[in-house]
Amino acid sequence: MLQKNIIKAAKILFEHKLNKNGLDQLEYNYKPKTIEDAYLIQDELKINYLTLSNNICLGKKVGCTNTQAQQQVGVNKPFYGNLFTRFSSENKVTLKSKNFFQPWVEPEIGIRIREDINIAKAPFSLNDINDLFDGIVCSIEIVDFRFTHSIDKIGINNLISTNGASDYWIKGTNIFSLDSVDLDDHPVFLRINDDIVAKGNTKNVLKNPFNSALWLINLLAEKGEIMLKGQYISTGSCTKAVKIENQQNIKADFGSLGIIEFQYI
């Protein structure tokens, strides 16, 4: 894909993000034909995001790490995007529907990076998690599919190019130790207006959210990209994604780890 077309595609997607609207599809010259093209557009889009005032990259998100989510969007592998301070907040926030297009919510385990990752030591395994990470946090990711198609028709390349469909991230204020709960099997519930709308488990996230985080940092290491001390990895949804509507109270219930909630008005 030509560099000028990558730049143009990213600019179009950035403008639609800021305007909170969708598009049917990118014109042929700007459409990512491969996953490699899609990540090149995403990288350029990240540069656009970082031009905004008071905005830095606070980490990464991993998408489609559970089979329900993969079936929903019609893909068979995970992908990643970026998290930004301008589009994140701590628990118990009120969000306005006018700032979103077609939002869906996902309850996720976030994992914090202990020190700048030395990618020369990759690939990493579960034996390395205490050296790589220093805490877990409960969170909600709001994904907003920038394209007007149904989510199963958008395609993985479009999802990747639009920052992995990541639109907003809400995290808890409490950082828990890595062994606070058994992430091989920890139930999670998603409630809307106090009704349970989805039941899930941390084991849905590549069998354990640590597997998702390792998948990401090993893939980034292959590309020569590091993650930095204090950044987060939002590891993927413990339940299916659920579409939200105006005037709703959304709660992700992580049991002993607490509740992440927000008002959507």
Side-chain angles (χ1 to χ4, degrees):
M1 193 169 181
L2 295 175
Q3 181 63 23
K4 66 177 182 179
N5 291 341
I6 292 169
I7 293 171
K8 179 64 175 179
K11 182 179 180 181
I12 293 170
L13 296 174
F14 184 59
E15 289 173 348
H16 279 76
K17 159 68 176 174
L18 295 183
N19 293 332
K20 294 91 177 176
N21 54 23
L23 70 162
D24 182 47
Q25 61 181 355
L26 290 166
E27 293 181 17
Y28 182 81
N29 287 341
Y30 310 135
K31 185 184 299 185
K33 312 299 191 303
T34 66
I35 286 177
E36 290 74 21
D37 286 346
Y39 279 119
L40 288 173
I41 294 172
Q42 184 190 117
D43 290 342
E44 188 65 32
L45 181 61
K46 179 181 177 181
I47 294 172
N48 282 267
Y49 272 70
L50 294 175
T51 64
L52 298 173
S53 61
N54 301 315
N55 191 39
I56 63 172
C57 183
L58 60 84
K60 300 278 189 183
K61 62 77 56 91
V62 186
C64 285
T65 51
N66 79 56
T67 54
Q68 280 185 304
Q70 290 177 358
Q71 291 167 0
Q72 278 184 295
V73 300
V75 303
N76 59 9
K77 64 177 71 174
F79 54 84
Y80 67 83
N82 299 285
L83 302 174
F84 296 97
T85 53
R86 183 79 173 261
F87 304 104
S88 68
S89 63
E90 293 193 340
N91 198 11
K92 297 184 179 180
V93 67
T94 297
L95 300 179
K96 296 182 179 180
S97 57
K98 68 179 183 179
N99 292 327
F100 298 87
F101 176 56
Q102 294 181 351
W104 299 60
V105 294
E106 300 179 340
E108 309 199 356
I109 293 292
I111 301 177
R112 190 170 66 180
I113 304 298
R114 178 179 292 277
E115 299 289 346
D116 294 359
I117 292 177
N118 181 358
I119 60 175
K121 294 183 178 181
F124 301 100
S125 71
L126 288 171
N127 293 327
D128 301 309
I129 61 174
N130 288 309
D131 296 324
L132 295 169
F133 314 122
D134 68 357
I136 61 175
V137 63
C138 300
S139 70
I140 286 177
E141 184 190 12
I142 300 176
V143 294
D144 204 346
F145 300 102
R146 198 58 54 203
F147 292 87
T148 55
H149 309 295
S150 60
I151 63 173
D152 61 328
K153 302 297 183 184
I154 295 171
I156 190 168
N157 293 341
N158 284 330
L159 290 172
I160 291 170
S161 66
T162 52
N163 192 38
S166 185
D167 207 81
Y168 203 90
W169 193 57
I170 304 167
K171 73 177 183 68
T173 54
N174 294 325
I175 304 294
F176 298 92
S177 64
L178 301 185
D179 58 357
S180 294
V181 295
D182 179 9
L183 292 180
D184 283 334
D185 184 13
H186 186 75
V188 179
F189 301 93
L190 187 61
R191 304 176 188 269
I192 294 182
N193 296 337
D194 291 326
D195 294 326
I196 295 177
V197 295
K199 298 179 181 180
N201 196 294
T202 54
K203 67 184 177 183
N204 294 338
V205 184
L206 295 183
K207 299 184 178 179
N208 184 309
F210 287 123
N211 290 327
S212 172
L214 290 167
W215 172 86
L216 174 66
I217 61 175
N218 284 330
L219 179 61
L220 293 176
E222 291 177 6
K223 297 182 173 185
E225 182 176 349
I226 67 171
M227 293 199 68
L228 305 176
K229 178 180 179 179
Q231 287 189 321
Y232 290 90
I233 299 172
S234 196
T235 55
S237 186
C238 300
T239 70
K240 68 179 182 180
V242 175
K243 191 172 184 180
I244 58 173
E245 306 290 346
N246 202 357
Q247 302 301 321
Q248 289 184 331
N249 174 255
I250 293 92
K251 294 181 180 180
D253 186 346
F254 292 86
S256 60
L257 297 178
I259 293 174
I260 305 301
E261 64 178 298
F262 69 99
Q263 295 284 340
Y264 188 68
I265 63 174

